[in-house]
Amino acid sequence: MDDQRSTRQKVLWWVAGAAVVVYALFPVAWIFSLSLKSSADLGNQQFLPTSVVWENYEMILAGDAQSLFLSGLRNSIGVSLIATFIAVVLSTFCAYAIARLDFPGKRVILTTALAVAIFPVISIVTPLFNLWRNIGLYDTWPGLIIPYLSLTLPISIWTLSAFFRQIPWELEQAAQVDGATTWQAFRKVIVPLATPGVFTTAIISFFIAWNDFVYGISLTSTESARPVPAALAFFTGASQFEEPAGAIAAAAVIVTIPVVVLVLLFQRQIVSGLTQGAVKG
Amino acid sequence: MAAITMNNIIKKYGDGFPAVNDVSLDIADGEFMILVGPSGCGKSTLLRMIVGLEDITSGEMLIGGERVNEKAPRDRNLAMVFQNYALYPHLTVYENIAFPLRLQKTSDTEVKERVNQAAELLELTEHLERKPANLSGGQRQRVAMGRAIVRNAQAFLFDEPLSNLDAKLRGQMRTEISRLQKRLGITTVYVTHDQVEAMTLGDRVAVLRKGLLQQVASPRELYENPVNLFVAGFIGSPPMNFIPATVGEDALHTPFGDVTLPESRSVDLAGKDVVLLGARPESFEDAAVVSDTVRDHGLTFDANIDVIEWLGNEQYAYVPYDAPEDIRNQLAELERELDSEAMRTQLVVSLDATSRIEEASVSALWLDLRKVHVFDPSTGENLTARTATQSTSAPA
Ligand SMILES: Nc1ncnc2c1ncn2[C@@H]1O[C@H](COP(=O)(O)OP(=O)(O)OP(=O)(O)O)[C@@H](O)[C@H]1O
Ligand SMILES: [Mg+2]
């Protein structure tokens, strides 16, 4: 009876899981197949390309769209990495203070962060556009990094302070009794416990910056700062009657690669429940 | 190894509340000292001041004759087992135990030798490569012990290390700690809530109440000769019975009859109207089983037996009685402070297992007056406490 139930449960889980996977990955597969179609093939209303061609990739990596795409890629990577780095450093300090210290205004910081996070991007982009043009930040990396921070900082502060609150800080004292200096206690005990949280936060921030479109398209005008999502909008077909769908698909596939690599690289660091077993019950 | 000396230690937290108030305590080299007291009386605070995790507001702390007030925890060379173990979750059991050695930059071969030795002592050898998360409560507790014994600390400090274990494991670990301490002969300070741990583990027991030291003495001394109401009520389970008595011309009037205290217990009651008589449950007996030779040393009285609890080797009888309002309030107050559960206008009486006294009957009980204590209800002082054996002196 129990066995029966558990097999049935298992089957159900598999079916549900498969459904979710198909639902989530079907568009990705479609884009991938689209990127391998020749331009004549694009509208053939079939899932698979009639013949696999690499012309779309050639076009964005070596052909007409090369400068547009590669500069976009460079901008995206640079801007996202810097925005992530700053957000993680700042939010680590902030979350540490929120988790460890009792000071007036703690709640204010958290609520402000939340308020900033729920503020619609589209409503500040026009004023920013004007402001940036006046002070010379328009179409520059800092001109993107600063608004990206407004997206990444709040969520980083929230996730990290939630994470830091779970760390058994008594361990720091235990380490000091065991003969560690304050710095050693921090480095040998607290840092290893905090690292997974910091990595998780970094990855979330990076994705947010990486995926932004509104700021990217509004606050840039040339290849000097335009990120990939915005650059895709400037792709043109071979003639003006042709959709650049193949090239866009190819670019989308390439843009996905860093995300996948990042997750694979750091999934070991994002082990949840690492603090288990430190204290009883 | 070292002696720990505290001179007039005071700890005030930020709000000015004195968590530890003027505590002076001498812990001899190699001694096993127990700290007991109700919740919030400052036991943990005292321990944390010894180890250096809490600043000392005033007073002097000496370890091995050296003042340590200003020393950081790492310079005091003490080993502590925290109430919640505080194991490092990212390290294996081996590395957890090795942690203090690694900080001392001990060579790998010596680390290996000492960790294996500690692991063997604590029967952890087959768990060395596991992470704390995968261990049982008792195993985690032993890892915490291992981390404490692996280096040559001057003293061990334990903060209720067994409080979260189940009864069986607790008993097991208790003997293990006792054996370990005897074997290593290291000065130990042990905080506990538990009566049994307090009575069985320590050479001496220090009783704290609201940050004030009440009495420091051997478990036997505490039990037989408590200095005040608080200690008398705190030590012993079931607790001591307190019987109100009005002072008369030549006798004390109690709800159970008039009492004349024997020579050994007679005290100067001049100027006092009311006193409290303290009698342990085992000072009572079924009058029927008391031999004639000792009967004269006690008081025989008729009691309304309410409930009998038969435990095989002995039995407890509950005897409700009436007490004046103000005394009842005072007893209730004392009980609140002691966290005890019993409503104490009843006697708890221990009877011989062969006694045939029945529930809901009126039976003759006998109280051994040679073992009765007399307390002053206004100060709580034990008027019968022997002052000859100075209870606060360390054993030679
Ligand atoms: N950080 C603190 N700030 C202010 N007061 C504190 C602080 N820590 C403890 N206290 C107070 O000091 C008193 C003693 O606390 P302590 O933790 O030493 O009690 P305890 O005897 O260990 O109790 P328990 O048996 O419950 O562990 C308590 O009244 C507590 O409220
Ligand atoms: Mg405590």
Side-chain angles (χ1 to χ4, degrees):
Chain A
M1 174 88 189
D2 243 17
D3 256 13
Q4 232 175 33
R5 181 132 134 241
S6 79
T7 31
R8 207 165 69 216
Q9 244 174 13
K10 241 188 229 161
V11 169
L12 270 174
W13 273 113
W14 274 104
V15 170
V20 169
V21 167
V22 167
Y23 179 79
L25 289 187
F26 183 68
V28 179
W30 196 343
I31 294 245
F32 185 63
S33 115
L34 210 54
S35 75
L36 295 177
K37 289 179 176 177
S38 65
S39 53
D41 225 3
L42 280 177
N44 69 353
Q45 304 195 331
Q46 285 173 11
F47 179 69
L48 293 173
T50 40
S51 68
V52 172
V53 293
W54 296 96
E55 64 180 38
N56 295 315
Y57 289 93
E58 257 164 52
M59 184 169 127
I60 59 166
L61 293 175
D64 293 343
Q66 181 198 24
S67 71
L68 191 63
F69 179 70
L70 289 186
S71 69
L73 206 55
R74 196 179 57 237
N75 290 332
S76 258
I77 292 176
V79 169
S80 301
L81 280 182
I82 295 174
T84 301
F85 180 77
I86 297 176
V88 167
V89 171
L90 289 183
S91 61
T92 303
F93 288 137
C94 184
Y96 184 88
I98 286 173
R100 286 303 301 279
L101 310 175
D102 236 346
F103 56 92
K106 209 157 122 168
R107 291 216 66 78
V108 177
I109 291 181
L110 283 174
T111 11
T112 312
L114 195 63
V116 170
I118 60 177
F119 214 80
V121 165
I122 199 73
S123 64
I124 44 174
V125 78
T126 316
L128 260 187
F129 173 77
N130 283 324
L131 182 66
W132 269 199
R133 280 170 74 99
N134 288 334
I135 62 175
L137 281 177
Y138 182 70
D139 201 24
T140 61
W141 277 20
L144 279 184
I145 291 171
I146 294 170
Y148 282 1
L149 283 179
S150 77
L151 299 177
T152 54
L153 259 182
I155 185 119
S156 305
I157 290 173
W158 272 85
T159 41
L160 264 183
S161 53
F163 190 88
F164 281 0
R165 256 181 272 215
Q166 292 176 359
I167 292 182
W169 293 99
E170 206 179 4
L171 293 183
E172 210 176 30
Q173 301 184 337
Q176 283 176 22
V177 173
D178 280 341
T181 59
T182 318
W183 171 242
Q184 277 175 323
F186 184 74
R187 190 168 54 87
K188 286 181 189 278
V189 176
I190 299 304
V191 169
L193 296 181
T195 314
V198 175
F199 271 110
T200 311
T201 310
I203 286 178
I204 293 174
S205 306
F206 184 82
F207 290 171
I208 290 175
W210 186 255
N211 286 334
D212 165 78
F213 176 74
V214 177
Y215 285 129
I217 195 118
S218 317
L219 302 179
T220 61
S221 59
T222 68
E223 287 165 9
S224 62
R226 185 184 289 135
V228 171
L232 294 191
F234 288 86
F235 280 7
T236 47
S239 73
Q240 59 169 319
F241 303 109
E242 233 175 273
E243 286 278 329
I248 292 180
V253 170
I254 292 181
V255 165
T256 315
I257 291 172
V259 177
V260 175
V261 169
L262 265 184
V263 170
L264 289 182
L265 217 56
F266 290 123
Q267 69 176 0
R268 285 184 53 129
Q269 262 78 25
I270 319 175
V271 190
S272 62
L274 195 71
T275 52
Q276 262 177 21
V279 295
K280 61 186 165 193
Chain B
M1 276 180 260
I4 301 173
T5 308
M6 288 166 242
N7 292 328
N8 306 97
I9 296 283
I10 296 179
K11 172 69 190 184
K12 287 198 172 113
Y13 279 112
D15 48 5
F17 176 78
V20 170
N21 203 347
D22 201 23
V23 167
S24 297
L25 192 58
D26 269 315
I27 303 168
D29 190 1
E31 189 178 9
F32 200 131
M33 174 66 82
I34 305 269
L35 291 180
V36 290
S39 189
C41 69
K43 307 180 296 286
S44 298
T45 305
L46 195 58
L47 206 64
R48 291 167 60 82
M49 282 193 287
I50 297 175
V51 82
L53 292 172
E54 212 75 71
D55 288 334
I56 297 168
T57 309
S58 82
E60 200 176 36
M61 175 86 63
L62 305 171
I63 297 174
E66 209 180 320
R67 182 184 157 99
V68 296
N69 286 40
E70 289 77 24
K71 281 194 178 178
R74 67 193 210 93
D75 298 321
R76 300 191 186 194
N77 193 19
L78 304 172
M80 178 152 170
V81 176
F82 286 80
Q83 184 157 3
N84 56 10
Y85 312 151
L87 301 180
Y88 308 121
H90 58 296
L91 300 177
T92 59
V93 168
Y94 182 94
E95 285 303 327
N96 260 284
I97 298 177
F99 192 80
L101 299 177
R102 299 261 188 240
L103 289 170
Q104 294 168 356
K105 306 245 182 303
T106 316
S107 71
D108 271 353
T109 46
E110 196 185 339
V111 168
K112 195 165 177 191
E113 189 186 324
R114 305 242 305 252
V115 171
N116 283 334
Q117 213 178 341
E120 209 159 299
L121 191 66
L122 296 163
E123 290 170 28
L124 282 171
T125 310
E126 65 262 49
H127 307 299
L128 281 177
E129 294 313 317
R130 301 172 74 188
K131 289 273 176 71
N134 305 329
L135 300 180
S136 76
Q139 290 166 338
R140 284 181 206 179
Q141 211 267 334
R142 278 180 282 164
V143 177
M145 296 266 299
R147 201 172 60 186
I149 64 171
V150 77
R151 71 202 159 105
N152 302 317
Q154 302 210 67
F156 288 155
L157 307 171
F158 295 94
D159 193 353
E160 304 195 34
L162 310 183
S163 55
N164 274 21
L165 303 185
D166 65 41
K168 182 158 168 264
L169 204 50
R170 190 186 294 202
Q172 220 169 310
M173 289 308 300
R174 192 175 64 226
T175 12
E176 230 160 295
I177 288 177
S178 176
R179 193 178 306 138
L180 202 66
Q181 200 270 344
K182 287 205 176 70
R183 188 164 147 184
L184 301 172
I186 291 185
T187 316
T188 302
V189 185
Y190 188 106
V191 169
T192 181
H193 254 112
D194 188 283
Q195 288 274 337
V196 185
E197 285 172 30
M199 300 305 270
T200 56
L201 277 177
D203 297 321
R204 282 193 303 156
V205 180
V207 185
L208 276 170
R209 174 203 194 186
K210 294 180 181 167
L212 287 165
L213 200 54
Q214 304 291 305
Q215 188 173 8
V216 188
S218 68
R220 175 179 289 269
E221 176 77 6
L222 278 186
Y223 191 81
E224 291 178 350
N225 206 17
V227 295
N228 58 28
L229 266 181
F230 178 82
V231 177
F234 190 76
I235 304 289
S237 172
M240 187 184 274
N241 298 295
F242 296 114
I243 308 160
T246 33
V247 180
E249 282 287 296
D250 48 358
L252 296 170
H253 307 297
T254 74
F256 305 103
D258 287 357
V259 170
T260 315
L261 290 171
E263 190 92 14
S264 62
R265 293 273 132 180
S266 65
V267 288
D268 182 19
L269 295 175
K272 297 194 169 59
D273 295 334
V274 184
V275 292
L276 282 174
L277 296 183
R280 300 242 174 239
E282 65 272 17
S283 306
F284 292 89
E285 194 47 87
D286 178 359
V289 304
V290 175
S291 69
D292 290 338
T293 46
V294 298
R295 190 183 296 268
D296 285 348
H297 295 297
L299 168 74
T300 307
F301 60 96
D302 284 334
N304 287 311
I305 309 293
D306 187 21
V307 178
I308 297 261
E309 286 174 356
W310 188 78
L311 300 174
N313 60 338
E314 62 183 342
Q315 43 189 339
Y316 290 117
Y318 293 82
V319 183
Y321 66 90
D322 284 328
E325 178 100 27
D326 50 338
I327 295 284
R328 222 171 35 225
N329 289 342
Q330 197 185 357
L331 290 179
E333 175 71 25
L334 183 68
E335 251 150 56
R336 244 197 316 283
E337 216 179 293
L338 295 171
D339 307 322
S340 79
E341 69 290 347
M343 269 308 296
R344 202 95 58 87
T345 53
Q346 65 177 0
L347 298 180
V348 182
V349 172
S350 159
L351 301 175
D352 195 275
T354 59
S355 161
R356 289 279 173 243
I357 287 183
E358 280 173 22
E359 273 187 8
S361 69
V362 176
S363 306
L365 293 180
W366 177 80
L367 167 60
D368 189 345
L369 290 174
R370 295 168 303 180
K371 294 184 185 160
V372 162
H373 301 272
V374 183
F375 297 93
D376 181 341
S378 55
T379 62
E381 188 193 349
N382 184 354
L383 301 170
T384 39
R386 277 173 290 127
T387 44
T389 50
Q390 227 343 308
S391 47
T392 44
S393 64

